Amino acid sequence: MFKNFFNKKKSFAVNIFPGDQEISISRGETLLAGALRSGLAWPHKCQVGSCGRCRCKILEGKIRPEIDFNYVLDPVDVASGFVLACQSTAKTDIKVSVDLTHKRK
Amino acid sequence: MKKLYVNVRYLIVPVMTVTTIIGLFIGGIYAWIGVFLFGINTILDTLTKDIHLKADFDEDGNSYGIKIFQYSVMYLMLPIFIILQLALANNLYKFIYLEVLEISELVGSILSCGLWAGLGIIYGHELSHNKREGFNVSRAIMALSGASHFTYAHVYNHHLDLGHEDDPATAPRGRNVYAHAWLSHAGQSKFSYDLENAKLKKLNKSFFSLQNKWLLGYLYSLPSIILFVWSGGLVGVIALFIVWVISNFLLEALNFMGHYGLIRETGKPVEHRHSWDNDNLFTSWFFIEIGRQCDHHVRGETYFWELDDVKGPNYGIGYFSLFVLALIPSLFRKFTQKHLDNWDQNYATGAEKEIVNKYYVNELLQKASK
């Protein structure tokens, strides 16, 4: 009964497209924090969930949203899988789409 | 031992708030203990103005802060602040209905309660950056001061628009703390109202929806209003109004001191130079490092015990000392002028200097030529 409770994964694999790069993020760590720790140039600005610069699309897997994304993202985009990387922690291994070739405005 | 020292040093406010509550229940001269402690703190802050510490990390770079302990304390502050209001309501009841309390005791109780309720901001602020349960506790703590809108406005407005005219919490040069308190409070509430309105429209929901966090925030303050109406009638309402005015004034004074006169160009990222640090020993420990604004605004989700000195603009004195100066606008302007001049010369970018010249220097020259 408690098997899943005690055997919780401590880290999750994140496959990033395009480019098919793989990083690992810890349980409770945000997608953005994990990406920056791995040296990726993930677009970001405020890191508190208010600017929307770190938005990305979840292609596969589940995340836990730390805030209501509807303040910053369009509800249609949220419904189609867009999230804020700085306010998303992984619940499973995930595949995500983000443009890492952005230029800072 | 180091772990104990790093974690226990942040317990000044919890201990002093409980002391204030005990004072309110005992009554007599002890009802003034909150005011007395505020005075003592101002002296301690001034005495330690030259002691500045770095954040504490072990050899491997791990913080000594114990997250579960610090969070337990912050969550525990919610019932403590509720008991503080209950203690004041109890004294109101004794004054109005039992007639066993002197007016001086009631005045002391109201002032003590207002000053310490205002310190709820330091926990409301820290928890506003830690989502889910922490965010809700932040809202509840701020609601005790009728300022639940703060939690949303702080994250979605202040952190994004800091140093810019779009941020009501940033005070432009020349404004005094009294004007700022009202303008910032109203501006943040308006922002929160607009934010919810926009969200609800996008979701095709009515303004009178349970998803309207602006409206809900004010409803969270209803229990306080009911408590004070019940315990003191009209006097109770006046007492609660005074408590809210004092506590919101303290909240906005922190915003005022944290960013006074600093400028950021539209669209440019928030950097260390867009905040003032107040990180002397007493301010750091008392205000759980809220004075390390430079680091906080760049790493907004970093736990307070990990925030560090990043060599940003620094007033060189603590919040209590600066607050006393802020209460006398002419003194505050005189004190901050040299720091602003230093900021203009050594921190501002070319574009930021242009904004300074356009909005402040030219205006001063025009005034001088008249």
Side-chain angles (χ1 to χ4, degrees), chain B residues 8 27 39 54 72 127 149 175 180 204 215 218 230 250 255 259 266 330:
Chain B
V8 168
K54 298 281 290 177
S72 300
L127 292 171
H149 63 273
R175 184 187 285 176
H180 183 72
N204 283 325
L215 208 53
Y218 286 113
W230 172 79
L250 293 181
N255 276 330
H259 307 285
T266 306
S330 57

Side-chain angles (χ1 to χ4, degrees), chain A residues 47 64-66 70-71, chain B residues 131-132 196 202 213 301:
Chain A
Q47 299 192 56
R64 173 178 141 142
E66 297 297 312
N70 288 304
Y71 285 108
Chain B
K131 306 302 180 323
R132 290 183 173 264
E196 290 302 321
K202 280 197 288 185
K213 309 289 186 189
E301 306 253 315

